[in-house]
Amino acid sequence: MNRAVYDERPPGSLVPTSVAEASRAMAGDTTLSENYAFAGMHHIFDQHVDSAVPRLQFANDDKHLLACCSLDGTLSIMTLSPSPPSVKVTLKGHGGPVTDFAWSLSNDIIVSTSLDGMLRIWNTEDGRCIREVRDPESSELLCCTFQPMNNNLTVVGNSKHHLQVVNISTGKKVKGGSSKLTGRVLSLSFDAPGKILWAGDDRGSIFSFLFDMATGKLTKAKRLVVNEGSSICSISARSWISREARDPSLLVNACVNKLLLYRVVDNEGTLQLKRSFPIQHGSQLVHSIFCPLMSFRQGACVVTGSEDACVYFFDVERNTKAIVNKLQGHGGPVLDVSFNCDESLLASADSTGMVIIWRREQK
């Protein structure tokens, strides 16, 4: 077990400047600030108003298909084109607030978790519930994620501190695919190859697990205490941040009024703090993302929600004044953000149930 130390280590080692300058010249001389300038609101969805929308996510490799889940017990699949944007289908069936969901790689299935203790598998075309899997402990389900290399397998976290790998084709839990954390399991993320799984709990710990591709077995590897008693409410893994910063990295929201960026230092998922960025985040389940496109530009960008009702863009390579952009327009804490595949649209969701689609300025 290793404890996090909030040292502001100089990020100069992150990107070799000469290489960054060369690739920036290839891409044209736009800065990150210019690259992430937004022309304003493209659309507002309000079908979940009065109930928080804790998660939203664009479909994989898709510009116009977006889904979100709500504490009102439903999920929405929205299409942004053709205009005007509209709700394509509503997924109804959960008997309690929906806490998390994930798109399958081919976007034909969504899995969702709820406080009703059910994992549901949905057909995204017609909104039909294909299967429901009750938590073995009948406890609240708080988060889920697909195994990136095998979409038959989903990992689910519950309120009784347990992780479980579930085969969604059979509805059965995988033998050896369970483990226990120190608190309620709030966040999950695989590395791109699907070999390491990180899980965060509400006691301030991030655990890494080695995932056996052949059997679905989980083996506990490392534990990091970020901040005793703080909720680890968002974990995002990325193989590279940019073409020059080729460290595997983890982006973490941990209710410490900072967005945390870690370096993954070995093949067991050991984490070393690389940078932190000030945001207002003390209690809500706020999430963040890496920008999906690998940038030729100098620096690299991450986006996070915040309890001050704003969306923040940070350049992970800047020593000072790391804020690249700030979007205002929400009426409550921003809980989640998602880019579409070409970064032309950003979606953000808040605690009042509002979903805003932001359009990036076209250069």
Side-chain angles (χ1 to χ4, degrees), residues 8-29:
E8 292 296 328
R9 69 182 68 241
S13 57
L14 188 65
V15 179
T17 310
S18 58
V19 183
E21 288 296 343
S23 63
R24 186 172 160 200
M26 287 163 62
D29 199 33

Side-chain angles (χ1 to χ4, degrees), residues 74-266:
T74 67
L75 300 95
S76 299
I77 299 176
M78 299 151 277
T79 182
L80 306 181
S81 182
S83 208
S86 61
V87 177
K88 179 186 165 191
V89 65
T90 303
L91 310 181
K92 295 179 179 176
H94 276 297
V98 184
T99 51
D100 197 7
F101 74 95
W103 290 93
S104 66
L105 207 54
S106 54
N107 298 327
D108 57 339
I109 283 173
I110 277 177
V111 295
S112 61
T113 54
S114 168
L115 299 186
D116 67 2
M118 287 288 189
L119 172 73
R120 283 183 177 258
I121 298 106
W122 309 87
N123 180 316
T124 58
E125 270 306 307
D126 58 15
R128 200 166 36 90
C129 181
I130 302 166
R131 177 172 278 114
E132 55 181 48
V133 182
R134 180 171 290 283
D135 181 70
E137 301 177 287
S138 298
S139 63
E140 298 171 335
L141 296 182
L142 305 177
C143 54
C144 59
T145 190
F146 273 107
Q147 215 296 335
M149 295 295 135
N150 181 356
N151 273 193
N152 274 327
L153 301 180
T154 299
V155 184
V156 182
N158 75 16
S159 62
K160 291 187 177 173
H161 310 183
H162 279 106
L163 273 185
Q164 180 66 56
V165 182
V166 177
N167 185 322
I168 63 168
S169 296
T170 63
K172 301 271 195 282
K173 60 181 189 176
V174 173
K175 189 177 179 183
S178 63
S179 191
K180 191 164 188 180
L181 275 60
T182 50
R184 292 156 55 92
V185 186
L186 299 180
S187 49
L188 300 165
S189 184
F190 274 101
D191 67 350
K195 293 179 178 177
I196 304 175
L197 170 72
W198 288 275
D201 66 24
D202 68 348
R203 303 281 177 85
S205 289
I206 301 174
F207 290 84
S208 67
F209 296 87
L210 306 183
F211 191 93
D212 187 310
M213 295 298 214
T215 63
K217 185 182 176 186
L218 288 175
T219 304
K220 194 179 282 186
K222 300 290 182 179
R223 178 188 176 196
L224 169 76
V225 179
V226 176
N227 191 56
E228 201 79 55
S230 293
S231 290
I232 310 294
C233 44
S234 177
I235 302 175
S236 297
R238 185 70 174 264
S239 301
W240 302 355
I241 299 181
S242 72
R243 292 177 194 276
E244 290 80 33
R246 302 199 175 195
D247 294 326
S249 298
L250 218 64
L251 192 63
V252 174
N253 293 84
C255 296
V256 292
N257 290 309
K258 292 176 184 177
L259 176 65
L260 306 171
L261 180 66
Y262 289 93
R263 181 185 289 111
V264 182
V265 297
D266 59 25

Side-chain angles (χ1 to χ4, degrees), residues 39-60:
M41 294 181 195
H42 175 62
H43 191 77
I44 295 175
F45 287 100
D46 61 0
Q47 69 269 22
H48 298 294
V49 159
D50 296 332
S51 293
V53 171
R55 300 306 311 269
L56 86 169
Q57 191 184 358
F58 275 96
N60 296 300

